[in-house]
Amino acid sequence: MASERPLLFEQFTHFYKDLKAVTPVKIHDLYHDRIVFKDPVHELHGIDQLDHYFSHSLKNLPLCQFTFLDQLVTNEAAYIKWHMFYRHPKLGNDQLMLRGMTHILFDSKIYFHEDSYDLGSMIYDHLPVVGRITRVIKKKLANE
Protein backbone atom coordinates (compact mmCIF):
# COMPACT_ATOMS: atom_id res chain seq x y z
CA MET A 1 0.00 0.00 0.00
CA ALA A 2 1.14 3.52 -0.72
CA SER A 3 0.83 4.53 2.95
CA GLU A 4 3.49 1.94 3.86
CA ARG A 5 6.06 3.35 1.46
CA PRO A 6 8.55 5.89 2.82
CA LEU A 7 7.63 9.52 2.17
CA LEU A 8 10.97 10.01 0.41
CA PHE A 9 9.96 7.40 -2.18
CA GLU A 10 6.69 9.24 -2.80
CA GLN A 11 8.67 12.47 -3.27
CA PHE A 12 11.00 10.66 -5.68
CA THR A 13 8.17 9.43 -7.93
CA HIS A 14 6.52 12.86 -7.87
CA PHE A 15 9.86 14.48 -8.80
CA TYR A 16 10.33 12.24 -11.85
CA LYS A 17 6.80 12.41 -13.22
CA ASP A 18 7.81 15.55 -15.11
CA LEU A 19 11.51 16.42 -15.10
CA LYS A 20 10.85 19.70 -16.90
CA ALA A 21 9.51 20.97 -13.55
CA VAL A 22 12.77 20.15 -11.71
CA THR A 23 14.55 22.96 -9.85
CA PRO A 24 17.81 22.97 -7.87
CA VAL A 25 15.80 23.33 -4.65
CA LYS A 26 13.87 20.14 -5.40
CA ILE A 27 17.12 18.31 -6.19
CA HIS A 28 18.64 19.37 -2.85
CA ASP A 29 15.48 18.33 -0.99
CA LEU A 30 15.57 14.84 -2.48
CA TYR A 31 19.26 13.97 -2.88
CA HIS A 32 22.06 13.81 -0.32
CA ASP A 33 25.00 16.24 -0.75
CA ARG A 34 27.30 13.26 -1.43
CA ILE A 35 24.95 11.51 -3.89
CA VAL A 36 26.44 8.90 -6.22
CA PHE A 37 24.43 8.89 -9.46
CA LYS A 38 25.11 6.37 -12.24
CA ASP A 39 23.57 5.69 -15.61
CA PRO A 40 24.93 4.11 -18.82
CA VAL A 41 26.63 7.40 -19.75
CA HIS A 42 27.61 9.10 -16.47
CA GLU A 43 28.92 8.55 -12.99
CA LEU A 44 28.41 11.65 -10.89
CA HIS A 45 29.57 12.36 -7.36
CA GLY A 46 27.96 15.10 -5.28
CA ILE A 47 24.89 17.26 -5.48
CA ASP A 48 26.62 19.97 -7.54
CA GLN A 49 27.47 17.52 -10.35
CA LEU A 50 23.92 16.14 -10.26
CA ASP A 51 22.41 19.63 -10.35
CA HIS A 52 24.59 20.51 -13.36
CA TYR A 53 23.65 17.24 -15.08
CA PHE A 54 19.92 17.91 -14.74
CA SER A 55 20.26 21.57 -15.76
CA HIS A 56 22.34 20.74 -18.84
CA SER A 57 20.41 17.65 -19.95
CA LEU A 58 16.93 19.06 -19.54
CA LYS A 59 17.53 22.25 -21.46
CA ASN A 60 17.62 20.19 -24.71
CA LEU A 61 14.52 18.15 -23.93
CA PRO A 62 11.12 19.73 -24.58
CA LEU A 63 9.54 16.65 -22.94
CA CYS A 64 10.84 14.28 -20.24
CA GLN A 65 8.25 12.40 -18.18
CA PHE A 66 8.21 9.07 -16.40
CA THR A 67 5.50 6.50 -15.87
CA PHE A 68 6.24 3.97 -13.15
CA LEU A 69 5.36 0.37 -13.96
CA ASP A 70 6.44 -1.69 -10.98
CA GLN A 71 8.39 -1.18 -7.79
CA LEU A 72 9.87 -2.91 -4.81
CA VAL A 73 10.30 -0.53 -1.87
CA THR A 74 11.76 -1.03 1.61
CA ASN A 75 12.66 1.51 4.29
CA GLU A 76 16.17 1.92 2.83
CA ALA A 77 15.99 0.99 -0.87
CA ALA A 78 13.79 0.84 -3.94
CA TYR A 79 13.83 -0.75 -7.38
CA ILE A 80 11.55 0.96 -9.86
CA LYS A 81 10.74 -0.15 -13.42
CA TRP A 82 9.66 2.74 -15.64
CA HIS A 83 8.95 4.15 -19.06
CA MET A 84 10.49 7.51 -19.91
CA PHE A 85 8.71 9.57 -22.55
CA TYR A 86 10.90 12.19 -24.15
CA ARG A 87 11.53 14.38 -27.16
CA HIS A 88 14.91 15.53 -28.34
CA PRO A 89 15.28 17.91 -31.30
CA LYS A 90 18.25 15.97 -32.69
CA LEU A 91 16.15 12.78 -32.77
CA GLY A 92 13.14 14.27 -34.58
CA ASN A 93 9.85 15.64 -33.31
CA ASP A 94 8.26 12.34 -32.29
CA GLN A 95 7.64 11.43 -28.69
CA LEU A 96 9.98 8.56 -27.89
CA MET A 97 9.76 5.95 -25.14
CA LEU A 98 12.55 4.25 -23.23
CA ARG A 99 12.10 1.42 -20.74
CA GLY A 100 14.45 1.23 -17.77
CA MET A 101 14.95 0.53 -14.11
CA THR A 102 16.24 2.57 -11.19
CA HIS A 103 17.85 1.40 -7.95
CA ILE A 104 17.98 3.92 -5.12
CA LEU A 105 19.37 3.74 -1.58
CA PHE A 106 18.27 6.28 0.99
CA ASP A 107 18.08 7.29 4.61
CA SER A 108 16.71 10.81 5.14
CA LYS A 109 17.73 11.53 1.49
CA ILE A 110 18.80 9.52 -1.53
CA TYR A 111 22.55 8.82 -1.40
CA PHE A 112 22.79 6.31 -4.29
CA HIS A 113 20.88 6.32 -7.58
CA GLU A 114 21.59 3.99 -10.50
CA ASP A 115 19.60 3.96 -13.74
CA SER A 116 19.80 0.99 -16.10
CA TYR A 117 18.50 1.22 -19.67
CA ASP A 118 19.44 0.36 -23.22
CA LEU A 119 21.44 3.32 -24.53
CA GLY A 120 20.98 2.03 -28.10
CA SER A 121 17.20 2.18 -27.71
CA MET A 122 17.45 5.67 -26.31
CA ILE A 123 19.69 7.21 -28.96
CA TYR A 124 21.14 5.05 -31.70
CA ASP A 125 17.89 3.40 -32.83
CA HIS A 126 16.51 6.86 -33.68
CA LEU A 127 19.39 8.05 -35.84
CA PRO A 128 18.75 7.60 -39.59
CA VAL A 129 21.78 5.52 -40.68
CA VAL A 130 22.81 4.01 -37.35
CA GLY A 131 19.19 3.16 -36.52
CA ARG A 132 18.79 1.10 -39.69
CA ILE A 133 21.99 -0.77 -38.94
CA THR A 134 21.03 -1.55 -35.32
CA ARG A 135 17.56 -2.72 -36.39
CA VAL A 136 19.11 -5.10 -38.96
CA ILE A 137 21.55 -6.45 -36.37
CA LYS A 138 18.77 -6.96 -33.79
CA LYS A 139 16.61 -8.73 -36.36
CA LYS A 140 19.46 -11.07 -37.29
CA LEU A 141 20.20 -11.83 -33.64
CA ALA A 142 16.51 -12.53 -32.95
CA ASN A 143 16.37 -15.06 -35.82
CA GLU A 144 19.40 -17.09 -34.63
Side-chain angles (χ1 to χ4, degrees):
M1 286 196 280
S3 61
E4 295 174 358
R5 286 185 247 153
L7 177 60
L8 185 66
F9 179 76
E10 297 298 327
Q11 293 169 333
F12 174 86
T13 56
H14 181 74
F15 178 85
Y16 278 91
K17 282 191 182 191
D18 185 358
L19 277 180
K20 293 303 289 179
V22 166
T23 66
V25 171
K26 291 180 183 176
I27 291 170
H28 286 264
D29 288 345
L30 192 59
Y31 287 100
H32 194 279
D33 288 344
R34 292 184 308 270
I35 179 69
V36 174
F37 180 96
K38 297 179 179 186
D39 68 16
V41 181
H42 305 90
E43 181 169 332
L44 308 171
H45 295 268
I47 195 75
D48 292 336
Q49 286 186 0
L50 184 63
D51 184 28
H52 181 287
Y53 168 74
F54 277 122
S55 300
H56 178 74
S57 299
L58 293 173
K59 97 173 96 164
N60 295 320
L61 295 174
L63 171 72
C64 188
Q65 299 173 333
F66 286 78
T67 300
F68 302 102
L69 307 173
D70 195 15
Q71 57 221 239
L72 176 61
V73 183
T74 70
N75 287 329
E76 297 94 21
Y79 294 88
I80 309 108
K81 188 166 45 172
W82 44 260
H83 282 158
M84 179 176 79
F85 299 93
Y86 64 104
R87 280 193 185 96
H88 194 289
K90 292 183 180 178
L91 300 176
N93 292 321
D94 294 337
Q95 177 177 298
L96 305 172
M97 190 270 296
L98 175 68
R99 184 179 172 125
M101 181 178 276
T102 296
H103 174 216
I104 57 173
L105 300 173
F106 50 87
D107 44 33
S108 61
K109 293 185 178 183
I110 298 168
Y111 60 87
F112 178 82
H113 177 144
E114 182 174 20
D115 288 335
S116 299
Y117 55 83
D118 180 356
L119 187 60
S121 292
M122 181 180 193
I123 299 172
Y124 309 127
D125 288 356
H126 305 290
L127 299 174
V129 175
V130 176
R132 273 192 292 276
I133 294 168
T134 58
R135 284 189 292 278
V136 167
I137 293 170
K138 285 179 183 179
K139 187 175 180 179
K140 286 184 179 191
L141 289 171
N143 290 328
E144 287 186 4

